[in-house]
Amino acid sequence: MSVRKEYRVNGVDGFIIDYVRQWNGTYKIYARQHPADPYGRSASYTHLFGNGQICIASGREPRSLDAAKTIAGHWMESYSNYTRTGQMR
């Protein structure tokens, strides 16, 4: 099962996020649309893999859609800040 949601962060940045349920009941989160990375930093800094997947620590994967939305919300706020300042929150 997959759920797609569109978001506007800080009134400016557009995001499209896919929440993809896995066979084990966890969710993977993909940013299908997001602001461009003006700094070119790696996934270890931005928590965004090249395929759009948002990095979540192993063993901390969300087990509900609500938890996945919360994680994505925090990531979008942080990434939006990063595109303006170069700093992830």
Side-chain angles (χ1 to χ4, degrees), residues 9-58:
V9 176
N10 294 322
V12 180
D13 294 326
F15 291 85
I16 295 176
I17 305 293
D18 287 345
Y19 304 94
V20 182
R21 189 173 178 140
Q22 304 299 296
W23 64 270
N24 64 358
T26 63
Y27 282 83
K28 286 188 178 183
I29 306 168
Y30 294 88
R32 298 300 185 198
Q33 178 180 316
H34 54 79
D37 179 353
Y39 305 101
R41 294 200 174 129
S42 69
S44 64
Y45 189 82
T46 64
H47 305 284
L48 180 65
F49 293 121
N51 68 353
Q53 184 177 350
I54 295 172
C55 177
I56 300 171
S58 181

